[in-house]
Amino acid sequence: MAGLVYQLKSIWRDKFCMLSFLLPIAAAAAVQFAGVMDFSAQGRIQSGMEGTKQVQAAGLLPAVIVLIAMFMGCTFNAVNMIAEKENGVDLINRILPMTRRQYISQKIFVGFVCGSLSAVITACICFRMDWKRMLLLLVLILLSAAASALIGLLIGRVSDNIMTGVVLIKTVMLVFLAVPLVKYLMGLNKVFSVFSQLVPSTAAFEGMLGLVSKAAPAPAGQVCILTAHCIGWHEMESGALKMSVNFNELQ
């Protein structure tokens, strides 16, 4: 418990992490206050998987903002771990009475909680749904935040300094935004559609638009894809953890 409290304090003191947490919330509030979005017209948005795609900027904008919030957990973990390396805290963590797996679990938990909370607040500002669809959106948010936290953990592990970390984070975030938007706006071919599902934000974006459209079915397929992403990234992280432990034992 003490370790989790320390991790939360570390996040709170990190300006980059706090900015990542508040940015989507502030963007959603600002756009709503400016009257750019008509939240009562969400039912006009069509699912990215069906029909003629009549793109309405007023409808896509809230979905994009929530999508950004869904994957902010990636920034929390990556930046926090890199800051610990640069400040020498990582060396202290190695001699604390705490296993490497406990440390990683704490990082995943903090990134998951912060990313989920930011996305939930942003979604409440952006969308007006009945409670059933809001619960389904919550499932999408939780799965996306879990995948994001795991990806951020890997970025933090391979980054030795803040410049490398920022480049990797920006690249990942650009891919997370570009792939689902390009697929939705341009359609492209079936091959691209299949490969686009390798990016977890695609399923999250399509599931979210499906919930916004009252005529769309429940996003069961997107939930399954995001669940597979969480399992896959968790296995990758477990493999990386085992390799690092074995390497330290050799030293």
Side-chain angles (χ1 to χ4, degrees):
M1 187 63 184
L4 284 176
V5 173
Y6 168 77
Q7 298 295 344
L8 290 172
K9 288 182 178 180
S10 179
I11 290 289
W12 178 258
R13 291 192 295 263
D14 195 312
K15 295 180 180 179
F16 199 102
C17 290
M18 292 308 301
L19 180 63
S20 300
F21 179 86
L22 295 173
L23 183 60
I25 300 173
V31 174
Q32 185 190 38
F33 180 78
V36 174
M37 292 183 292
D38 180 11
F39 293 102
S40 64
Q42 296 302 324
R44 294 199 302 265
I45 302 177
Q46 295 182 353
S47 169
M49 303 294 291
E50 61 182 8
T52 304
K53 300 173 182 177
Q54 299 175 348
V55 178
Q56 300 178 6
L60 287 179
L61 186 56
V64 171
I65 294 175
V66 176
L67 185 68
I68 293 173
M70 282 180 173
F71 290 93
M72 275 303 178
C74 174
T75 302
F76 287 112
N77 282 344
V79 171
N80 189 243
M81 290 181 70
I82 296 169
E84 287 183 348
K85 289 180 180 180
E86 292 196 332
N87 297 331
V89 178
D90 184 59
L91 298 176
I92 298 176
N93 290 334
R94 294 177 183 271
I95 63 174
L96 290 176
M98 175 177 60
T99 66
R100 190 66 176 170
R101 188 171 296 278
Q102 289 175 327
Y103 170 76
I104 294 300
S105 298
Q106 290 176 6
K107 288 295 185 184
I108 294 174
F109 179 79
V110 171
F112 169 74
V113 170
C114 294
S116 298
L117 185 59
S118 177
V120 167
I121 296 174
T122 304
C124 289
I125 296 174
C126 286
F127 297 130
R128 300 292 182 267
M129 299 178 181
D130 58 69
W131 66 271
K132 291 182 179 180
R133 287 188 293 159
M134 210 62 183
L135 285 177
L136 289 172
L137 179 59
L138 178 61
V139 173
L140 292 175
I141 288 174
L142 294 178
L143 290 173
S144 299
S148 175
L150 290 165
I151 295 171
L153 203 62
L154 290 173
I155 294 176
R157 187 189 294 277
V158 301
S159 301
D160 294 327
N161 55 70
I162 192 65
M163 292 301 297
T164 303
V166 168
V167 171
L168 289 175
I169 292 170
K170 295 297 183 182
T171 302
V172 169
M173 292 300 294
L174 179 61
V175 172
F176 280 170
L177 286 176
V179 172
L181 283 176
V182 168
K183 180 177 183 293
Y184 179 80
L185 297 176
M186 302 184 64
L188 301 179
N189 53 39
K190 293 183 179 180
V191 175
F192 179 83
S193 297
V194 171
F195 279 100
S196 68
Q197 300 301 329
L198 295 176
V199 181
S201 57
T202 302
F205 187 68
E206 291 177 349
M208 185 165 41
L209 289 185
L211 290 174
V212 170
S213 176
K214 295 180 179 179
Q222 285 78 20
V223 169
C224 292
I225 292 172
L226 284 172
T227 302
H229 271 287
C230 291
I231 295 173
W233 287 108
H234 181 269
E235 290 301 315
M236 288 182 62
E237 172 55 36
S238 297
L241 178 60
K242 291 179 181 178
M243 290 179 62
S244 64
V245 171
N246 293 336
F247 179 75
N248 291 334
E249 289 177 351
L250 290 174
Q251 290 182 322

